[in-house]
């Protein structure tokens, strides 16, 4: 099959990774792969002014005779130079002038993760390398007739389209019209009887590339996480100037019909107020409500004010709310020195974050499968992401649902608009309200208010402080007393315990590390003394944020309930560890931050490798006995090999790896080899260390390749936590507080003297298939390998195979 891929509509980070994944997966499945430049416009223009396809300059770059000639032809078809000078015209020997539909090979898309240029030491360039456009011609039947002709001319009948809802609607229209277009082309004598027969069915698949995250039936669109990164980076930078001058900033962010970016930016940056299209301010006039809230914040000493406005924001009567107007209101009514910052296209640019490399890779692979399995009687599919899994949904159903949100907003049915968004969106909005506004009155009556102790345990992880801030804000809003325990159980025994305030935690969203200080000391160091401290400080609930030790501590405390009444309180563990080794949860806080730190480091390492192109970098990651960060990191940076503690390392493995690297470097075009990355999780083997592997590669690589080692160490804990970690921290924290309140209420129904907490009141908040599940610590033990400090089952194990697939390791001509 001949598969073509195009990017359309507004560009978004991750589109290049889609092209890379579709091309690689297509080749691996034995297809011929093509790209279409400039979206549908390129399809309409085709190669009309250019030479026919089979010119000598488009032949495979090197003639290699091997067992799998067709695969190798595809592998070696390109020379790795396609479109790399950024003008869209340079092809390293192949001319693109007037040519929009181009055959590509494996090496043409190597390194396209980081929008590619870093591999060649050029400035990182955003957007889509194959170009995108908004094509008026494709909206007409005449244009689509030309597009159909151009595809058939090249023998292509499978198309992967990456774009927003407009692009996907265009794809569906094209497919529905295809038989009719073919008949017309045949009647005009433009295609032969044979072509008519052969191309009767157009296979189409859609991938959602859109920074707004505005598509229904998928949790996350390609490009949205990176745009959120850009926004949060900007707000993080604004914080310092706002604070210095005691200013207010009104930021306008993208989102005509969808407030996801504004809302998530508001939650992750700790903004004071947000305006989104799906839920206009509930008060009338809203200006009073906003000013009251901000005035309260200022009165207790807050020096900065951040308001975020989605570009499509409006009031309940659909009157647009513009950033400039919000600025005037703040300046006139509150006398605040207020500035407007419109982020505009900055939000689209820059290197893709880790998720925008992993997500398009997984979806691109699925897209090719969907194309191969497409039949005339099945609908076209959109590849989405639901519940942490890649999904296929009928394309038009998703587009129709997306449009119904817009329709609901237009009809002022905001409740319906909100209900059509996914549950995470709704929870984020609740989370924003609970953590952003200082209430005038506490929400709970005195009898229901409790003293909640908060503690960090284990190594610092991105999001620990954000989770604490959310818990503190929630506590104060309800009327509870939030108590910080510094330095874990050691700190508790040393009376390192104090109350936290609403303003005191204000800047904690963006802070990495642990503001409370962490410690690995388990409570069994002196369980009796720990119980006495619980009693002394009147602790009525415990929230522990941390890794495996945190879970272990709760197991010990729960066991201790047999002897100490002070432990008969609700106890919750929020997993926060870059190792992601807490059993039964798919994701811990800190993993996203860590993955981004890894991606940043590997991009820089690759750039360094460009100076001496044939160099293998063996990069060592943290992770303890859990290979999560190594495996997912390998997927995110396009590593060639990944070593994990789960799989271990032996001599046969190393021998095969060296053979593979030799074979792969042997296939590179002379002088155009690039650096390759190998990732080794720190505890993969005590014998085959990073240094040993590097030396082995160096020795065996001979003239083909050189090797260097690099240990990322504690840099993987990251600096500023990623927006997704911060947002998840707020969500987990508020769920945990609700759990604590619920469990406390159950306990209060019992007589004080014989109060007995049920085992499930000591629990871990987990993500299982993207839904939040509470697992009693007792039950967790059965799923944990307490010696190796990791879960017995992992959902990400298969991803190691995927890393190998994406470097063609599983092909018969290359050693496996
Ligand atoms: P973004 O979310 O960035 O706006 P989008 O894919 O929604 O991306 P649009 O401009 O709506 O962007 O659509 C991109 C292209 O898709 C259009 O320029 C047009 O060529 C094609 N297209 C959109 N709607 C249709 C349609 N109903 N019929 C045919 N083609 C369409």
């Amino acid at each position: 099959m001949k598969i073509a891929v195009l990017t359309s509509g507004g560009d978004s980070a991750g589109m290049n990774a889609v092209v890379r994944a579709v091309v690689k997966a297509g080749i691996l499945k034995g297809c011929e792969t093509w790209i279409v430049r400039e979206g549908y416009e390129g399809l309409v223009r085709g190669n009309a002014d250019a030479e026919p396809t089979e010119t000598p300059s488009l032949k495979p770059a090197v003639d290699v005779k091997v067992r799998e000639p067709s695969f190798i032809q595809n592998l070696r078809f390109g020379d790795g130079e396609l479109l790399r000078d950024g003008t869209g015209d340079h092809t390293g020997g192949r001319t693109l002038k007037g040519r929009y539909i181009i055959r590509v090979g494996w090496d043409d898309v190597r390194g396209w993760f980081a929008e590619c240029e870093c591999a060649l030491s050029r400035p990182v360039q955003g957007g889509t390398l194959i170009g995108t456009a908004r094509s008026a011609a494709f909206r007409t039947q005449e244009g689509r007739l030309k597009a159909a002709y151009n595809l058939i001319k090249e023998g292509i009948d499978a198309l992967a389209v990456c774009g927003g809802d407009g692009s996907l609607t265009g794809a569906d229209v094209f497919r529905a019209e295809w038989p009719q277009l073919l008949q017309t082309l045949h009647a005009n004598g433009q295609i032969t009887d044979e072509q008519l027969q052969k191309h009767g069915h157009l296979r189409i698949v859609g991938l959602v590339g859109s920074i707004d995250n505005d598509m229904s039936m998928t949790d996350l669109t390609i490009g949205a996480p990176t745009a959120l990164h850009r926004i949060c980076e900007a707000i993080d930078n604004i914080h310092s100037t706002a604070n210095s001058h005691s200013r207010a900033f009104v930021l306008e962010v993208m989102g005509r019909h969808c407030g996801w970016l504004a809302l998530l930016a508001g939650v992750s940056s700790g903004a004071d107020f947000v305006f989104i299209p799906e839920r206009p301010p509930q008060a009338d006039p809203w200006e009073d409500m906003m000013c009251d809230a901000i005035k309260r914040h200022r009165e207790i000493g807050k020096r900065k004010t951040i308001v975020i406005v989605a570009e499509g924001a409006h009031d309940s009567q659909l009157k647009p709310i513009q950033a400039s107007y919000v600025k005037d209101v703040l300046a006139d009514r509150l006398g605040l020195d207020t500035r407007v910052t419109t982020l505009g296209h900055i939000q689209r640019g820059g290197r893709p974050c880790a998720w925008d490399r992993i997500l398009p890779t997984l979806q691109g692979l699925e897209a090719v499968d969907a194309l191969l399995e497409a039949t005339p009687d099945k609908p076209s599919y959109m590849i989405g992401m639901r519940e942490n899994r890649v999904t296929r949904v009928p394309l038009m159903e998703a587009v129709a649902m997306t449009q119904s949100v817009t329709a609901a907003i237009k009809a002022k049915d905001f409740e319906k608009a909100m209900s059509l968004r996914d549950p995470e969106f709704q929870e984020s909005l609740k989370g924003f309200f609970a953590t952003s506004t200082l209430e005038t009155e506490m929400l709970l009556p005195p009898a229901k208010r409790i003293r909640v102790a908060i503690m960090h345990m284990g190594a610092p992880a991105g999001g620990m402080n954000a989770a604490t801030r959310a818990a503190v804000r929630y506590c104060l809003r309800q009327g509870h007393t939030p108590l910080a325990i510094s330095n874990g159980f050691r700190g508790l025994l040393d009376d390192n315990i104090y109350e936290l305030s609403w303003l005191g935690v204000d800047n904690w969203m963006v802070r990495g590390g642990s503001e409370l200080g962490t410690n690995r000391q388990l409570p069994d160091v002196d369980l009796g003394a720990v119980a006495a401290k619980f009693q002394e400080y009147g602790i009525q609930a415990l929230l522990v944020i941390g890794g495996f030790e945190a879970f272990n501590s709760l197991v010990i405390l729960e066991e201790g309930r047999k002897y100490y009444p002070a432990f008969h309180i609700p106890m919750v563990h929020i997993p926060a560890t870059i190792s992601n080794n807490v059993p039964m949860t798919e994701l811990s806080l800190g993993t996203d931050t860590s993955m981004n730190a890894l991606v940043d480091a590997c991009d820089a390492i690759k750039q360094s490798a460009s100076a001496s192109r044939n160099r293998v970098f063996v990069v060592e990651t943290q992770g303890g006995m859990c290979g999560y960060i190594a495996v997912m990191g390998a997927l995110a940076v396009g590593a060639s090999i990944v070593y994990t503690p789960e799989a271990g390392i032996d001599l046969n493995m190393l021998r095969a790896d060296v053979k593979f690297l030799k074979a792969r470097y042997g296939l590179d075009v002379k002088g155009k080899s690039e650096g390759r990355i190998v990732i080794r999780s720190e505890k993969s083997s005590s014998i085959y260390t990073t240094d040993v592997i590097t030396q082995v590669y160096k020795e065996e690589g001979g003239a083909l390749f050189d090797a260097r080692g690099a240990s990322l160490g504690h840099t993987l804990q990251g600096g500023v936590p990623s927006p997704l970690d911060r947002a998840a921290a707020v969500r987990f924290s508020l769920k945990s507080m609700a759990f604590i309140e619920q469990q406390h209420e159950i306990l209060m129904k019992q007589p004080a003297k014989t109060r007995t907490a049920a085992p499930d009141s000591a629990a871990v908040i987990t993500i299982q298939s993207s839904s939040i599940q509470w697992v009693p610590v007792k039950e967790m033990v059965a799923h944990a390998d307490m010696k190796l400090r990791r879960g017995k089952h992992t959902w990400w194990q298969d991803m190691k195979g995927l890393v190998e697939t994406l470097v063609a390791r599983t092909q018969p001509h290359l050693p496996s």
Side-chain angles (χ1 to χ4, degrees), residues 231 235 249-253 261-267 269 271-276 306-310:
I231 295 170
I235 303 176
F249 275 85
V250 184
L251 275 104
E252 187 190 289
V253 302
L261 282 176
L263 177 59
L264 269 280
V267 171
S269 66
D272 293 77
F273 218 84
V274 296
F275 293 98
I276 58 172
I306 305 282
V307 176
I308 301 176
V309 185

Side-chain angles (χ1 to χ4, degrees), residues 739-790:
F739 178 86
I740 282 174
E741 283 176 345
Q742 187 194 358
Q743 293 296 328
H744 177 75
E745 197 150 335
I746 296 171
L747 271 173
M748 285 304 108
K749 288 183 181 142
Q750 300 178 26
K753 279 204 170 157
T754 54
R755 214 163 269 161
T756 309
D760 59 8
S761 66
V764 185
I765 184 166
T766 66
I767 292 259
Q768 294 177 25
S769 296
S770 204
S771 71
I772 286 181
Q773 308 278 341
W774 287 100
V775 184
V777 287
K778 268 204 156 136
E779 194 185 321
M780 291 276 280
V781 176
H783 296 267
D785 185 328
M786 300 301 276
K787 201 163 145 239
L788 295 176
R789 300 173 71 252
R790 66 185 185 208

Side-chain angles (χ1 to χ4, degrees), residues 227-241:
L228 183 62
H229 270 252
R230 292 297 95 82
I231 295 170
C232 288
E233 280 159 12
I235 303 176
D236 294 351
N237 292 337
I238 278 173
H239 273 307
S240 51
T241 177

Side-chain angles (χ1 to χ4, degrees), residues 501-791:
S501 70
W502 195 91
L503 193 61
V505 295
D506 196 40
N507 293 326
W508 285 24
M509 284 311 279
V510 296
R511 291 199 189 157
S514 157
E515 287 293 311
L516 298 186
T518 85
N519 194 294
R520 289 182 198 274
Q521 185 72 67
L522 295 175
D524 55 2
V525 60
D526 190 343
L527 207 54
V530 169
K533 291 291 173 195
F534 270 42
Q535 222 159 352
E536 185 184 336
Y537 290 102
I539 295 171
Q540 291 168 292
L542 177 68
L543 176 64
V544 190
I545 304 164
F548 206 86
E549 287 85 4
F551 149 65
N552 212 349
S553 299
L554 250 58
V555 173
I556 294 166
L557 292 177
E558 209 282 325
E559 280 284 307
R561 282 173 170 170
K562 284 185 213 137
Y563 316 105
Y564 303 106
F567 298 147
H568 284 274
I569 57 172
M571 296 190 269
V572 168
H573 168 208
I574 300 180
T577 160
I578 69 161
S579 307
N580 204 24
N581 60 344
V582 176
M584 296 191 78
T585 188
E586 292 179 2
L587 290 174
S588 305
L589 297 182
T591 49
D592 189 59
T593 303
S594 185
M595 202 76 73
N596 280 295
L598 187 140
V599 161
D600 288 350
C602 287
D603 282 355
I605 286 171
K606 269 193 181 174
Q607 188 165 317
S608 138
S610 66
S612 44
R613 292 179 160 193
N614 51 350
R615 185 167 281 175
V616 177
F617 271 91
V618 184
V619 177
E620 184 180 292
T621 67
Q622 288 191 332
M625 290 305 288
C626 180
Y628 173 83
I629 199 81
V631 168
M632 295 307 277
L635 203 58
V637 302
S640 300
I641 297 166
V642 56
Y643 297 113
T644 62
E646 286 84 356
I649 308 176
D650 61 32
L651 205 50
N652 285 338
M653 217 182 236
L654 270 187
R655 195 173 284 142
D657 292 342
V658 168
K659 251 171 112 183
F660 162 70
L661 286 171
K662 280 184 173 175
R664 197 58 194 89
Y665 272 98
L667 284 170
D668 282 349
V669 178
K670 254 202 165 67
K672 284 180 181 162
S673 276
E674 278 175 18
R676 287 190 163 83
I677 300 256
V678 169
I679 295 194
R680 179 187 174 279
S681 188
E682 58 181 356
K683 294 206 169 134
S684 299
S685 160
S686 56
I687 305 297
Y688 301 109
T689 60
T690 301
D691 194 42
V692 167
I693 293 176
T694 310
Q695 296 304 327
V696 169
Y697 284 179
K698 216 178 174 127
E699 177 67 19
E700 299 293 326
L704 275 173
F705 61 90
D706 183 20
R708 290 282 189 279
S711 175
L712 300 184
H714 287 75
T715 58
L716 285 185
Q717 285 173 8
V720 176
S722 75
L724 290 183
D725 267 338
R726 296 187 224 170
V730 174
R731 192 167 164 235
F732 287 1
S733 199
L734 296 186
K735 290 256 178 203
S736 299
M737 287 309 307
F739 178 86
I740 282 174
E741 283 176 345
Q742 187 194 358
Q743 293 296 328
H744 177 75
E745 197 150 335
I746 296 171
L747 271 173
M748 285 304 108
K749 288 183 181 142
Q750 300 178 26
K753 279 204 170 157
T754 54
R755 214 163 269 161
T756 309
D760 59 8
S761 66
V764 185
I765 184 166
T766 66
I767 292 259
Q768 294 177 25
S769 296
S770 204
S771 71
I772 286 181
Q773 308 278 341
W774 287 100
V775 184
V777 287
K778 268 204 156 136
E779 194 185 321
M780 291 276 280
V781 176
H783 296 267
D785 185 328
M786 300 301 276
K787 201 163 145 239
L788 295 176
R789 300 173 71 252
R790 66 185 185 208

Side-chain angles (χ1 to χ4, degrees), residues 175 201 374-379:
R175 180 191 133 136
H201 168 218
T375 55
D377 52 318
K378 279 193 206 153

